[in-house]
């Protein structure tokens, strides 16, 4: 599950890293939440482009989004099977612009449960290329809304100490084939979305202010306490965040 992320570096760094021609001057955002506008990179005619979309995927075949579940993640294991994402996987793959994301380690149950937020970023400080899918939804009145979801995969060894899922973080050399919907088919593209190497990531506990999406300031990404959580005990059930994946079998 990936329900919050942040984008803190200057726009020029992302433009140089991904190579799109647009020159957007977007502000840093430290607590990006579902349904908000988010920045993606996609390919069109062999060229990369910057685009703003709604974080919350609406498939093109959807007639009325009212009552449709909030779909912010797409499980890579079922991308080729689920009708919600099938078309986007073939024709509209993207990368979310991000420097890292947040996840919550939950210990205990009920009211006594302790939820500790962690910031996950690349250890080398590079932009974190989160694989995504996007779609333009057209309303009956002719209106159009661009929407997107982050592709998720099973956790690597580092993330398993916090949660059993994580975003699919692309290696620099796999960004191009992921975006290339002309020459790379759905199956091979989906195979690029796998748990990243443990050494890529740094986990730091952060303050509880990140729990409230209304908070959006640099203080949210200041680590507190020890830099990494303890691994789960042998035989213990996988850790899950407080923001469980409840999107259902359709997705």
């Amino acid at each position: 599950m990936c329900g919050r992320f942040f984008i803190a570096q200057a726009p020029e760094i992302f433009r140089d890293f991904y190579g799109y021609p647009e020159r957007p001057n977007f502000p840093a955002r430290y607590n990006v939440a579902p349904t908000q506008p988010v920045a993606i990179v996609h390919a069109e005619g062999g060229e990369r482009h910057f685009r703003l979309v709604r974080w919350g995927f609406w498939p093109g075949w959807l007639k009325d989004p009212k009552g449709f579940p909030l779909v912010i993640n797409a499980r890579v294991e079922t991308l080729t099977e689920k009708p919600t994402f099938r078309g986007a996987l073939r024709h509209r793959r993207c990368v979310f612009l991000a420097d890292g994301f947040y996840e919550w380690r939950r210990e205990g149950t009920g009211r006594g449960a302790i939820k500790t937020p962690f910031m996950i970023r690349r250890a080398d400080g590079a932009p974190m290329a989160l694989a995504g899918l996007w779609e333009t939804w057209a309303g009956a009145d002719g209106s159009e809304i661009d929407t997107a979801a982050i592709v998720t995969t099973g956790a690597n060894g580092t993330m398993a100490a916090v949660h059993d899922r994580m975003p699919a973080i692309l290696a620099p050399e796999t960004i191009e084939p992921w975006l290339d919907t002309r020459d790379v088919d759905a199956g091979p593209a989906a195979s690029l979305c796998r748990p990243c190497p443990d050494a890529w990531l740094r986990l730091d506990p952060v303050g509880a202010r990140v729990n409230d999406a209304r908070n959006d300031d640099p203080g949210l990404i200041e680590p507190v306490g020890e830099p990494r959580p303890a691994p789960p005990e042998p035989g213990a059930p996988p850790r899950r965040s407080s923001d469980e994946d409840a999107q259902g079998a359709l997705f």
Side-chain angles (χ1 to χ4, degrees):
M1 187 71 174
C2 179
R4 301 280 183 82
F5 67 91
F6 61 94
I7 174 170
Q9 299 190 77
E12 294 78 12
I13 292 178
F14 290 94
R15 183 174 184 268
D16 291 343
F17 187 83
Y18 290 110
Y20 48 77
E22 294 84 4
R23 295 179 177 273
N25 186 21
F26 51 86
R29 298 175 63 192
Y30 300 94
N31 202 2
V32 183
T35 74
Q36 293 179 353
V38 294
I40 64 167
V41 180
H42 68 100
E44 185 175 335
E47 295 184 355
R48 297 182 184 182
H49 292 283
F50 174 95
R51 198 181 196 102
L52 286 177
V53 301
R54 172 191 184 268
W55 187 14
F57 190 90
W58 289 347
W61 47 258
L62 181 65
K63 296 186 181 300
D64 186 358
K66 187 181 297 183
F68 191 72
L70 179 59
V71 181
I72 60 173
N73 293 156
R75 288 175 174 263
V76 67
E77 296 89 345
T78 56
L79 283 185
T80 59
E81 305 169 9
K82 302 302 181 181
T84 296
F85 303 117
R86 199 175 294 152
L89 180 62
R90 289 197 301 264
H91 306 297
R92 287 169 292 280
R93 301 191 293 264
C94 67
V95 171
F96 278 61
L97 268 62
D99 283 311
F101 62 98
Y102 301 104
E103 189 54 87
W104 282 256
R105 184 179 68 189
R106 183 171 184 168
E107 297 178 291
T109 58
R111 295 183 178 180
I114 299 174
K115 303 171 186 176
T116 305
F118 285 84
M119 169 182 61
I120 299 93
R121 51 186 164 164
R122 285 193 58 121
D124 61 5
M128 182 178 281
L130 305 182
L133 302 173
W134 73 282
E135 184 72 85
T136 299
W137 179 82
D141 60 355
S143 61
E144 293 185 344
I145 300 177
D146 294 331
T147 69
I150 294 173
V151 177
T152 65
T153 185
N156 64 10
T158 302
M159 271 299 300
V162 177
H163 192 33
D164 63 342
R165 304 284 302 173
M166 66 182 294
I169 303 169
L170 299 172
E173 64 271 16
T174 62
I175 293 174
E176 181 61 27
W178 172 253
L179 294 178
D180 184 3
T181 58
R182 298 185 303 175
D183 297 326
V184 181
D185 292 334
S191 69
L192 301 173
C193 298
R194 50 185 179 265
C196 70
D198 291 353
W200 283 14
L201 303 182
R202 174 185 174 124
L203 275 67
D204 293 283
V206 293
R209 292 179 58 245
V210 74
N211 297 346
D212 189 338
R214 293 173 295 183
N215 295 325
D216 187 356
D217 59 78
L220 298 181
I221 61 172
E222 294 180 2
V224 298
E226 295 299 320
R228 295 185 63 178
E233 298 179 1
R239 300 186 189 275
R240 294 180 181 272
S241 75
S242 57
D243 188 9
E244 296 291 346
D245 186 351
Q247 295 181 155
L250 176 62
F251 312 109

